[in-house]
């Protein structure tokens, strides 16, 4: 039993701090270990529960958020479909900003530590969460990944969610901003096909712009569709291959890393 | 398939509430699910059937109050039914819309024994 949140300790998701000697695996089942006794009193009671189904997740997300705020950590939740270039964007960003910020990465994938190994190669502290059959990260997994990570104050934490444009939309992790990444090879109507993700994000990074000459992708259309779902959405166009647009992304990050306020 | 996580959370809430009342059986459960909440009902039903086995909810009668989406236009104050997040205001055509209803995802009540 975990003393922090009371979760029990059997397997379905696991967390590893990459590049450290020991593995801290943190596992869960959803076993129901109580007995189903059959009482013979037949008094029925109506309980007005009125409880949000995601109450538990949202509570833990707010705890994470408080932790980030207290330490002035810019926590970003990177969401996208698989293959949009989240990990490539991170590799470039971590390498280019190495001397300016202390960065941390939490990688979410169903299996393997391949992405975390790529991040580790840039010299960044990284934890890999394997969700097993799970299709998204939740606030609880982040809480435990943070315990092994111990990020310092005034740093940036990139949380790379499981590549999935549907499920992660519902789960608040405690992040400051949600960044949705779309690549020009995906089709410009993605924002209205998967509206929830674009609705809940604050920034949209459009990646692989170097491929624009080869694909029928309209920059105007994708923005128009995305604004239908979320009129406040900001756009940053980048190519991680050519480096085009990356200064704009770095500028955005710099503006978001708030300097500690003096009282 | 985040619907499975959602069902697991519902089971969790049910077990905690039942334990509070020393209940050994749940006869009925009433849920509120908004049409803009991001829940696919066929996926939800599928997850439900599998997940409630051997739990307090296994034989419970499930009632779902589906709450239709409702948007408030921030430009012209029109209140209108909303089926999709990308719909414009039917009066002025703007997209600055505040969702008033349809995002609900709640356990409303339980009938325990």
């Amino acid at each position: 039993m975990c003393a922090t949140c009371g979760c029990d300790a059997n397997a379905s998701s696991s967390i590893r701090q990459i590049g450290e000697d020991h593995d801290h695996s943190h596992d869960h089942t959803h076993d129901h270990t109580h007995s189903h006794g059959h009482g013979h009193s037949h008094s029925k009671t109506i309980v007005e529960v009125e409880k949000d189904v995601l109450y538990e997740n949202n509570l833990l997300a707010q705890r994470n958020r408080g932790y980030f705020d207290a330490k002035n950590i810019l926590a970003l939740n990177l969401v996208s479909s698989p293959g949009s270039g989240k990990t490539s964007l991170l590799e470039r960003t971590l390498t280019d900003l190495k001397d300016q910020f202390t960065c941390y990465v939490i990688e979410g994938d169903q299996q393997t530590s391949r992405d975390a190994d790529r991040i580790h190669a840039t010299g960044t502290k990284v934890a890999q969460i394997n969700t097993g059959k799970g299709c998204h990260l939740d606030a609880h997994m982040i809480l435990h990944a943070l315990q092994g990570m111990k990020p310092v104050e005034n740093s940036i934490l990139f949380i790379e969610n499981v590549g999935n444009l549907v499920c992660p939309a519902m789960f608040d992790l405690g992040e400051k901003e949600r960044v949705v990444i779309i690549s020009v090879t995906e089709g410009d109507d993605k924002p209205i096909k998967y509206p929830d993700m674009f609705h809940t994000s604050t920034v949209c990074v459009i990646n692989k712009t170097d491929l624009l000459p080869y694909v029928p992708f309209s920059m105007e259309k994708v923005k128009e569709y995305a604004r239908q779902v979320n009129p406040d959405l900001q756009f940053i166009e980048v190519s991680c291959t050519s480096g085009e647009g990356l200064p704009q992304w770095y500028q955005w990050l710099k503006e978001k890393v708030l300097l500690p306020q003096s009282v | 398939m985040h619907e499975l996580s959602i069902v697991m959370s519902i089971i969790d809430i049910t077990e905690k509430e039942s334990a509070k009342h020393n209940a050994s059986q749940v006869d009925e459960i009433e849920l509120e699910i908004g049409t803009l909440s991001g829940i696919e009902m066929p996926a939800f039903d599928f997850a439900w059937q599998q997940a409630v086995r051997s739990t307090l909810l296994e034989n419970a009668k499930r009632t779902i109050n589906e709450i239709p989406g409702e948007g408030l236009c921030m430009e012209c104050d029109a209140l209108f039914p909303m089926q999709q997040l990308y719909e414009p205001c039917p009066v002025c055509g703007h997209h600055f819309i505040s969702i008033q209803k349809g995002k609900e995802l709640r356990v409303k009540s339980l009938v325990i024994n």
Side-chain angles (χ1 to χ4, degrees):
Chain A
M1 168 92 85
C2 160
T4 313
C5 56
C7 58
D8 56 20
N10 291 309
S12 93
S13 71
S14 70
I15 298 169
R16 270 167 297 161
Q17 306 292 334
I18 302 296
E20 289 185 8
D21 301 342
H22 66 280
D23 286 355
H24 167 81
S25 69
H26 181 86
D27 303 326
H28 298 273
T29 52
H30 293 280
D31 286 342
H32 301 284
T33 46
H34 56 82
S35 60
H36 293 278
H38 210 84
H40 287 281
S41 61
H42 291 284
S43 59
K44 286 193 179 181
T45 314
I46 298 173
V47 185
E48 301 292 341
V49 183
E50 296 286 353
K51 203 167 196 179
D52 202 294
V53 172
L54 291 169
Y55 165 82
E56 201 76 39
N57 183 74
N58 294 341
L59 199 68
L60 291 172
Q62 290 299 2
R63 280 177 60 163
N64 292 346
R65 190 164 281 122
Y67 175 86
F68 296 139
D69 283 348
K71 301 192 78 161
N72 192 42
I73 294 167
L74 175 65
L76 303 174
N77 184 0
L78 307 182
V79 293
S80 82
S81 34
S84 67
K86 290 190 293 302
T87 313
S88 301
L89 180 67
L90 280 181
E91 279 177 315
R92 275 299 291 251
T93 306
L94 296 167
T95 307
D96 292 349
L97 298 185
K98 196 177 264 180
D99 300 328
Q100 298 177 53
F101 298 107
T102 306
C103 296
Y104 298 88
V105 176
I106 296 174
E107 280 288 340
D109 284 296
Q110 285 198 320
Q111 301 293 344
T112 81
S113 64
R114 294 181 71 93
D115 279 1
D117 295 340
R118 283 170 64 186
I119 300 298
H120 183 58
T122 68
T124 309
K125 197 166 183 183
V126 54
Q128 176 78 53
I129 300 176
N130 283 138
T131 57
K133 298 284 182 287
C135 50
H136 57 268
L137 296 177
D138 61 35
H140 186 201
M141 298 172 188
I142 301 303
L143 186 146
H144 285 297
L146 286 169
Q147 288 171 333
M149 185 164 255
K150 300 183 181 69
V152 299
E153 289 187 4
N154 307 319
S155 55
I156 305 178
L157 170 67
F158 296 98
I159 303 167
E160 184 181 333
N161 218 312
V162 178
N164 178 341
L165 216 40
V166 184
C167 310
M170 286 186 79
F171 296 85
D172 184 9
L173 305 179
E175 72 266 22
K176 187 106 190 164
E177 308 263 349
R178 189 172 287 184
V179 181
V180 60
I181 295 145
I182 176 174
S183 58
V184 303
T185 52
E186 290 176 53
D188 44 31
D189 54 357
K190 273 264 164 91
I192 52 168
K193 282 158 79 179
Y194 301 92
D196 287 291
M197 199 61 96
F198 289 84
H199 186 74
T200 57
S201 296
T202 44
V203 184
C204 176
V205 173
I206 305 173
N207 192 17
K208 308 187 190 177
T209 53
D210 54 302
L211 298 178
L212 272 173
Y214 312 104
V215 288
F217 181 94
S218 159
M219 202 55 90
E220 287 312 304
K221 264 200 183 129
V222 74
K223 290 180 183 175
E224 190 189 315
Y225 284 136
R227 286 199 184 103
Q228 287 178 13
V229 181
N230 181 356
D232 297 320
L233 196 65
Q234 254 184 286
F235 299 93
I236 303 174
E237 300 169 28
V238 303
S239 162
C240 293
T241 308
S242 71
E244 196 189 353
L246 286 173
Q248 206 194 332
W249 161 242
Y250 298 154
Q251 188 56 38
W252 182 85
L253 285 173
K254 282 171 200 170
E255 283 166 12
K256 290 291 168 185
V257 181
L258 302 169
L259 293 168
Q261 307 275 317
S262 55
V263 181
Chain B
M1 263 305 269
H2 55 287
E3 284 79 4
L4 182 59
S5 307
I6 298 299
V7 174
M8 298 312 292
S9 298
I10 293 171
I11 293 170
D12 197 49
I13 290 169
T14 305
E15 304 211 321
K16 282 181 181 153
E17 291 294 328
S18 302
K20 274 189 216 165
H21 295 86
N22 291 318
S24 55
Q25 199 184 316
V26 176
D27 290 341
E28 291 176 40
I29 181 165
E30 188 181 2
L31 306 172
E32 288 183 340
I33 302 182
T35 54
L36 302 174
S37 68
I39 294 294
E40 266 319 305
M41 285 320 290
F44 183 82
D45 284 336
F46 180 73
W48 184 274
Q49 284 168 26
Q50 302 302 320
V52 299
R53 283 186 194 167
S54 309
T55 74
L56 287 177
L57 285 172
E58 184 164 16
N59 300 309
K61 178 177 171 262
R62 189 188 72 184
T63 307
I64 296 177
N65 303 332
E66 203 178 83
I67 300 175
E70 191 179 277
L72 175 69
C73 178
M74 304 310 281
E75 292 287 338
C76 75
D77 271 350
L79 199 61
F80 60 94
M82 215 174 156
Q83 270 89 42
Q84 303 289 350
L85 291 175
Y86 50 78
E87 275 172 38
C89 166
V91 179
C92 72
H94 275 90
H95 281 281
F96 286 95
I97 290 153
S98 161
I99 296 170
Q100 303 294 301
K101 285 183 191 163
K103 283 291 210 181
E104 297 80 359
L105 187 53
R106 297 166 69 79
V107 178
K108 188 158 169 40
S109 67
L110 295 170
V111 177
I112 54 175
N113 213 322

